[in-house]
Every structure is written in structure tokens, then in C-alpha cells.
Amino acid sequence: MTAFASANGSSGAVSWAWEIRSVNGRGLDVRMRLAEGFDGLEALARKQIAAICKRGTITVGLRVKRNSSARVAQLNAEGLERALEAARIATHEAKVEVAPLDIAAVLALPGVFGALEAEADPLSTLNDPVKKDFESALSDFAKARAAEGEALAEVLAQQIEQIDGLCAQAAEVLDGRRDHVAETMRMNLARVLGTTDAVDEQRLEQELALLAVKADVSEELDRLQAHVSAARELLAQQGPIGRKFDFLTQEFNREANTLCSKANYTDLTGIGLDLKAVIDQMREQVQNVE
């Protein structure tokens, strides 16, 4: 759910810049930071974001700047008249013939001719172009999220294949584990029988059957395979799947934990730990899924 997009625009002496960025989040949290005078765009921006995003913390910023270098030249008629009048008085008082006035010199006098700040467009007239640039940034933002989603889908697909492969490996070692568990039970039983003569055969059979059921991991492997199928179906769906996938990774982890706790066999324990590692990596990636 991480993405970034921006768009810039200007009109007259005013320029603006939109930025939209997102990070992971369990739900949708939109945070707006709009320049003064453009608060009216917030409701529209939130609505458009909610239409394409269902999860993530999304920050939207709008910076607006008035260009101080936008200046216009303007003649001060009153200042020019005062300068010319001062020149006439000086000529009369001097009682001598003076050279013709240098117009450039007159215009260079303070207050006669200068650059004034250009009048900025009213902010109300900029809503439409600013809104258009937001829509452009939002379109790029959606494309960035989609591109990340495609890459993330490939990563998740690979992790699902790893889990499937590890489940197959676990099934392959069950025969060896079965012999190991049976031998362990025989040794424990011999130890018990060697310390007592009072043995209830029926009770013993019940306890052995119960131990066999508790040691069986076929149900855990069956459920893991079912979760693999569910994960593949989720990846093939269109639309938001993040929360469902997040729940599914919890189920994956629960079965892997049970498998490890019941393993009682080195090879199966190793596979179970590998499963937990891959599932944990997948859980982290799923936090990025919409």
C-alpha cells in the first residue's frame, strides 16, 4: 500500500504542488494538509480517495505559493509631474540655459517609474485548475499502487508455493516419523511395565490409542493444504483482499505452531520451523496488501 505521486501547476502569480503518499495501515486513514483558502477541496479529495483505496494511511498535501517575482512596470503620473515641475523651477531659478531633460534620468528618479507587485488571481478562481491537478496526481498514485500490488502478488505467490512444498516434504517424512513414534512408545511402555506388575490391559490400550491420536499431524497438514488453496484463490480475486489474507496468515501460523508442538521428530520439526519462517515473511508482506 505504499505509493507516492505529485502534480504541479500555476496560474499568474500563484503556483501550487500536490503530494499524495501512503504507508501501511490496517484500515483507511486519510490525512489532509491543504493550503489556506482551499479547504473546500477536502471533502471532494476524501471522496475520490475512498473510491480507490480501502486500506492504508494516506497523506495528501497541497502547497500554494505566491510568486513575489511577478511584477509589472507602472508610471506614477503624479510623481512625473512633480519631477518636471521641480526641473522647471530649477531652470527658472538658475536663470541660465540648461540642456534638455534626459527622459531616462527623469524616469529613474524615485517615485516616478517602478515595478509593482502583480495582482494575484483570487483564490476562488483557482479551484478548478488545482482540482484538475489533484485528479492527475491521484491517477498516478493509483497506478503506482497497482504496480506495487502486481509485484507483491508475485512475492506472495512464491511464498505460497514454498509453503505448499514444505507441506509435501512434511507428508513424505510421516512414515519415518510413524516408526520413530512407535519405537518411542514401545520403549516407554517397557519402562512402565518394568516397574509394576499391576497393568490394566484395557486401560493401557486406551492410553496408547489416545497418544497415537495426539501424535497424529495429518489433520494439521490437511488444513495447511486447504489454506494454500484459499490463499491462491484470494490472489486470483479482484478487489480488496488484505484483511482476509491477514486472517488467513493467522490460520497458517496456528497450524504450523501445532505441527511443531506435535512433531516429536527432528526432520518434521525442521520442516515446521521452516514453515513458520515463510509464514511470518508472508504475514509481513500481507500488511502491504489492499
Side-chain angles (χ1 to χ4, degrees), residues 173-187:
V173 303
L174 287 186
D175 287 342
R177 174 183 178 271
R178 191 176 296 111
D179 295 339
H180 171 76
V181 171
E183 180 62 25
T184 301
M185 285 185 177
R186 281 194 294 267
M187 292 174 59

PDB file of all heavy atoms in Angstrom, residues 173-187:
ATOM      1  N   VAL A 173       7.890 -37.345   5.231  1.00  0.00           N
ATOM      2  CA  VAL A 173       8.633 -37.859   6.388  1.00  0.00           C
ATOM      3  C   VAL A 173       7.719 -38.521   7.409  1.00  0.00           C
ATOM      4  O   VAL A 173       8.197 -38.989   8.447  1.00  0.00           O
ATOM      5  CB  VAL A 173       9.446 -36.726   7.083  1.00  0.00           C
ATOM      6  CG1 VAL A 173      10.389 -36.072   6.110  1.00  0.00           C
ATOM      7  CG2 VAL A 173       8.527 -35.702   7.733  1.00  0.00           C
ATOM      8  N   LEU A 174       6.405 -38.559   7.127  1.00  0.00           N
ATOM      9  CA  LEU A 174       5.481 -39.117   8.119  1.00  0.00           C
ATOM     10  C   LEU A 174       5.732 -40.605   8.370  1.00  0.00           C
ATOM     11  O   LEU A 174       5.568 -41.083   9.497  1.00  0.00           O
ATOM     12  CB  LEU A 174       4.030 -38.895   7.676  1.00  0.00           C
ATOM     13  CG  LEU A 174       3.503 -37.457   7.791  1.00  0.00           C
ATOM     14  CD1 LEU A 174       2.026 -37.405   7.453  1.00  0.00           C
ATOM     15  CD2 LEU A 174       3.755 -36.880   9.185  1.00  0.00           C
ATOM     16  N   ASP A 175       6.105 -41.360   7.325  1.00  0.00           N
ATOM     17  CA  ASP A 175       6.357 -42.786   7.539  1.00  0.00           C
ATOM     18  C   ASP A 175       7.517 -43.009   8.506  1.00  0.00           C
ATOM     19  O   ASP A 175       7.432 -43.819   9.442  1.00  0.00           O
ATOM     20  CB  ASP A 175       6.656 -43.469   6.200  1.00  0.00           C
ATOM     21  CG  ASP A 175       5.410 -43.624   5.339  1.00  0.00           C
ATOM     22  OD1 ASP A 175       4.296 -43.533   5.909  1.00  0.00           O
ATOM     23  OD2 ASP A 175       5.542 -43.806   4.115  1.00  0.00           O
ATOM     24  N   GLY A 176       8.605 -42.275   8.266  1.00  0.00           N
ATOM     25  CA  GLY A 176       9.741 -42.373   9.176  1.00  0.00           C
ATOM     26  C   GLY A 176       9.378 -41.913  10.567  1.00  0.00           C
ATOM     27  O   GLY A 176       9.817 -42.515  11.573  1.00  0.00           O
ATOM     28  N   ARG A 177       8.570 -40.895  10.664  1.00  0.00           N
ATOM     29  CA  ARG A 177       8.142 -40.398  11.975  1.00  0.00           C
ATOM     30  C   ARG A 177       7.253 -41.424  12.664  1.00  0.00           C
ATOM     31  O   ARG A 177       7.344 -41.615  13.879  1.00  0.00           O
ATOM     32  CB  ARG A 177       7.385 -39.083  11.814  1.00  0.00           C
ATOM     33  CG  ARG A 177       6.774 -38.555  13.108  1.00  0.00           C
ATOM     34  CD  ARG A 177       5.979 -37.296  12.848  1.00  0.00           C
ATOM     35  NE  ARG A 177       5.345 -36.802  14.054  1.00  0.00           N
ATOM     36  CZ  ARG A 177       4.133 -37.182  14.468  1.00  0.00           C
ATOM     37  NH1 ARG A 177       3.446 -38.078  13.762  1.00  0.00           N
ATOM     38  NH2 ARG A 177       3.600 -36.687  15.577  1.00  0.00           N
ATOM     39  N   ARG A 178       6.389 -42.086  11.893  1.00  0.00           N
ATOM     40  CA  ARG A 178       5.490 -43.087  12.474  1.00  0.00           C
ATOM     41  C   ARG A 178       6.287 -44.205  13.146  1.00  0.00           C
ATOM     42  O   ARG A 178       5.975 -44.632  14.268  1.00  0.00           O
ATOM     43  CB  ARG A 178       4.576 -43.639  11.391  1.00  0.00           C
ATOM     44  CG  ARG A 178       3.418 -44.485  11.922  1.00  0.00           C
ATOM     45  CD  ARG A 178       2.498 -44.904  10.790  1.00  0.00           C
ATOM     46  NE  ARG A 178       1.871 -43.744  10.170  1.00  0.00           N
ATOM     47  CZ  ARG A 178       2.135 -43.310   8.936  1.00  0.00           C
ATOM     48  NH1 ARG A 178       3.037 -43.951   8.194  1.00  0.00           N
ATOM     49  NH2 ARG A 178       1.525 -42.260   8.440  1.00  0.00           N
ATOM     50  N   ASP A 179       7.330 -44.662  12.475  1.00  0.00           N
ATOM     51  CA  ASP A 179       8.169 -45.693  13.066  1.00  0.00           C
ATOM     52  C   ASP A 179       8.878 -45.183  14.310  1.00  0.00           C
ATOM     53  O   ASP A 179       9.009 -45.898  15.318  1.00  0.00           O
ATOM     54  CB  ASP A 179       9.202 -46.178  12.045  1.00  0.00           C
ATOM     55  CG  ASP A 179       8.549 -46.884  10.858  1.00  0.00           C
ATOM     56  OD1 ASP A 179       7.394 -47.343  11.008  1.00  0.00           O
ATOM     57  OD2 ASP A 179       9.190 -46.951   9.794  1.00  0.00           O
ATOM     58  N   HIS A 180       9.328 -43.935  14.247  1.00  0.00           N
ATOM     59  CA  HIS A 180      10.033 -43.339  15.387  1.00  0.00           C
ATOM     60  C   HIS A 180       9.100 -43.217  16.592  1.00  0.00           C
ATOM     61  O   HIS A 180       9.486 -43.547  17.723  1.00  0.00           O
ATOM     62  CB  HIS A 180      10.571 -41.961  14.987  1.00  0.00           C
ATOM     63  CG  HIS A 180      11.124 -41.174  16.130  1.00  0.00           C
ATOM     64  ND1 HIS A 180      12.357 -41.433  16.698  1.00  0.00           N
ATOM     65  CD2 HIS A 180      10.588 -40.128  16.838  1.00  0.00           C
ATOM     66  CE1 HIS A 180      12.573 -40.578  17.675  1.00  0.00           C
ATOM     67  NE2 HIS A 180      11.517 -39.768  17.784  1.00  0.00           N
ATOM     68  N   VAL A 181       7.876 -42.732  16.352  1.00  0.00           N
ATOM     69  CA  VAL A 181       6.915 -42.569  17.449  1.00  0.00           C
ATOM     70  C   VAL A 181       6.550 -43.929  18.040  1.00  0.00           C
ATOM     71  O   VAL A 181       6.442 -44.091  19.264  1.00  0.00           O
ATOM     72  CB  VAL A 181       5.653 -41.828  16.947  1.00  0.00           C
ATOM     73  CG1 VAL A 181       4.555 -41.855  18.015  1.00  0.00           C
ATOM     74  CG2 VAL A 181       5.994 -40.390  16.589  1.00  0.00           C
ATOM     75  N   ALA A 182       6.365 -44.937  17.157  1.00  0.00           N
ATOM     76  CA  ALA A 182       6.019 -46.277  17.649  1.00  0.00           C
ATOM     77  C   ALA A 182       7.135 -46.842  18.525  1.00  0.00           C
ATOM     78  O   ALA A 182       6.880 -47.446  19.581  1.00  0.00           O
ATOM     79  CB  ALA A 182       5.736 -47.201  16.463  1.00  0.00           C
ATOM     80  N   GLU A 183       8.373 -46.669  18.088  1.00  0.00           N
ATOM     81  CA  GLU A 183       9.505 -47.154  18.869  1.00  0.00           C
ATOM     82  C   GLU A 183       9.591 -46.435  20.204  1.00  0.00           C
ATOM     83  O   GLU A 183       9.882 -47.057  21.248  1.00  0.00           O
ATOM     84  CB  GLU A 183      10.800 -46.957  18.076  1.00  0.00           C
ATOM     85  CG  GLU A 183      12.058 -47.417  18.795  1.00  0.00           C
ATOM     86  CD  GLU A 183      12.039 -48.909  19.088  1.00  0.00           C
ATOM     87  OE1 GLU A 183      11.343 -49.666  18.372  1.00  0.00           O
ATOM     88  OE2 GLU A 183      12.716 -49.328  20.045  1.00  0.00           O
ATOM     89  N   THR A 184       9.331 -45.130  20.187  1.00  0.00           N
ATOM     90  CA  THR A 184       9.354 -44.363  21.438  1.00  0.00           C
ATOM     91  C   THR A 184       8.289 -44.869  22.395  1.00  0.00           C
ATOM     92  O   THR A 184       8.524 -45.012  23.604  1.00  0.00           O
ATOM     93  CB  THR A 184       9.135 -42.864  21.143  1.00  0.00           C
ATOM     94  OG1 THR A 184      10.158 -42.402  20.261  1.00  0.00           O
ATOM     95  CG2 THR A 184       9.167 -42.053  22.415  1.00  0.00           C
ATOM     96  N   MET A 185       7.102 -45.156  21.861  1.00  0.00           N
ATOM     97  CA  MET A 185       6.023 -45.663  22.705  1.00  0.00           C
ATOM     98  C   MET A 185       6.394 -47.025  23.293  1.00  0.00           C
ATOM     99  O   MET A 185       6.122 -47.305  24.472  1.00  0.00           O
ATOM    100  CB  MET A 185       4.734 -45.771  21.890  1.00  0.00           C
ATOM    101  CG  MET A 185       4.057 -44.449  21.609  1.00  0.00           C
ATOM    102  SD  MET A 185       2.468 -44.680  20.766  1.00  0.00           S
ATOM    103  CE  MET A 185       1.906 -42.960  20.674  1.00  0.00           C
ATOM    104  N   ARG A 186       6.984 -47.917  22.473  1.00  0.00           N
ATOM    105  CA  ARG A 186       7.372 -49.232  22.966  1.00  0.00           C
ATOM    106  C   ARG A 186       8.397 -49.131  24.084  1.00  0.00           C
ATOM    107  O   ARG A 186       8.312 -49.849  25.101  1.00  0.00           O
ATOM    108  CB  ARG A 186       7.930 -50.068  21.815  1.00  0.00           C
ATOM    109  CG  ARG A 186       6.858 -50.677  20.916  1.00  0.00           C
ATOM    110  CD  ARG A 186       7.447 -51.755  20.016  1.00  0.00           C
ATOM    111  NE  ARG A 186       8.392 -51.172  19.056  1.00  0.00           N
ATOM    112  CZ  ARG A 186       8.039 -50.780  17.835  1.00  0.00           C
ATOM    113  NH1 ARG A 186       6.771 -50.881  17.445  1.00  0.00           N
ATOM    114  NH2 ARG A 186       8.935 -50.293  17.014  1.00  0.00           N
ATOM    115  N   MET A 187       9.337 -48.228  23.925  1.00  0.00           N
ATOM    116  CA  MET A 187      10.360 -48.062  24.959  1.00  0.00           C
ATOM    117  C   MET A 187       9.733 -47.537  26.246  1.00  0.00           C
ATOM    118  O   MET A 187      10.057 -48.004  27.345  1.00  0.00           O
ATOM    119  CB  MET A 187      11.441 -47.103  24.462  1.00  0.00           C
ATOM    120  CG  MET A 187      12.286 -47.662  23.317  1.00  0.00           C
ATOM    121  SD  MET A 187      13.457 -46.437  22.639  1.00  0.00           S
ATOM    122  CE  MET A 187      14.408 -46.062  24.113  1.00  0.00           C
TER     123      MET A 187
END
